[in-house]
Amino acid sequence: QVQLVESGGGLVQAGGSLSVSCVASGRIFSITSMGWYRQAPGKQRERVAIITNGVGTNYADSVKGRFTVSRDNAKNAVNLSMDSLKPEDTAVYYCNAALRSSPVSPLREYWGQGTQVTVSS
């Protein structure tokens, strides 16, 4: 079994900074990608930032230049640092990982439980 546990988030004023972190644990052989999605009320879940092995980092246009995603492969962790936050960044942020539990396991996606980020105007 694999678990993704998120931490961080909270409430901040517009223009401020926050960070969210995620650690994957359990039966993990290799992680292909880790990153963050978000879902605002009444909207679809959208990709925010992701780091993929052999590919690099991809950001949503709306967060480029303001958010930074980083991975700690030794800890199976991913962090999202968010600067110059805007009210429209308010959402539940979900950690996502695509990984294999063994050398012969198929690639599977896992999700964290979500953490709230609220930006007040």
Side-chain angles (χ1 to χ4, degrees), residues 30-74:
S30 65
I31 299 177
T32 297
S33 67
M34 288 191 84
W36 294 90
Y37 288 67
R38 67 186 180 186
Q39 188 167 19
K43 294 188 176 181
Q44 288 189 328
R45 190 173 297 190
E46 63 172 353
R47 178 187 291 181
V48 176
I50 191 166
I51 300 178
T52 304
N53 293 350
V55 175
T57 303
N58 181 267
Y59 292 95
D61 287 343
S62 59
V63 306
K64 284 181 180 177
R66 299 189 298 121
F67 289 13
T68 303
V69 64
S70 59
R71 277 177 64 179
D72 184 336
N73 293 328

Side-chain angles (χ1 to χ4, degrees), residues 1-115:
Q1 192 74 354
V2 174
Q3 283 188 318
L4 271 58
V5 178
E6 298 138 340
S7 60
L11 173 65
V12 67
Q13 287 188 333
S17 300
L18 277 177
S19 64
V20 288
S21 299
C22 171
V23 177
S25 63
R27 193 179 179 197
I28 299 171
F29 172 72
S30 65
I31 299 177
T32 297
S33 67
M34 288 191 84
W36 294 90
Y37 288 67
R38 67 186 180 186
Q39 188 167 19
K43 294 188 176 181
Q44 288 189 328
R45 190 173 297 190
E46 63 172 353
R47 178 187 291 181
V48 176
I50 191 166
I51 300 178
T52 304
N53 293 350
V55 175
T57 303
N58 181 267
Y59 292 95
D61 287 343
S62 59
V63 306
K64 284 181 180 177
R66 299 189 298 121
F67 289 13
T68 303
V69 64
S70 59
R71 277 177 64 179
D72 184 336
N73 293 328
K75 297 181 179 179
N76 292 333
V78 63
N79 185 75
L80 183 69
S81 296
M82 303 175 284
D83 297 320
S84 302
L85 282 160
K86 304 175 182 180
E88 50 264 44
D89 295 317
T90 296
V92 177
Y93 283 68
Y94 295 92
C95 179
N96 171 274
L99 59 89
R100 301 180 191 278
S101 295
S102 77
V104 297
S105 298
L107 193 66
R108 288 187 59 184
E109 265 195 312
Y110 293 87
W111 294 90
Q113 78 282 1
T115 186

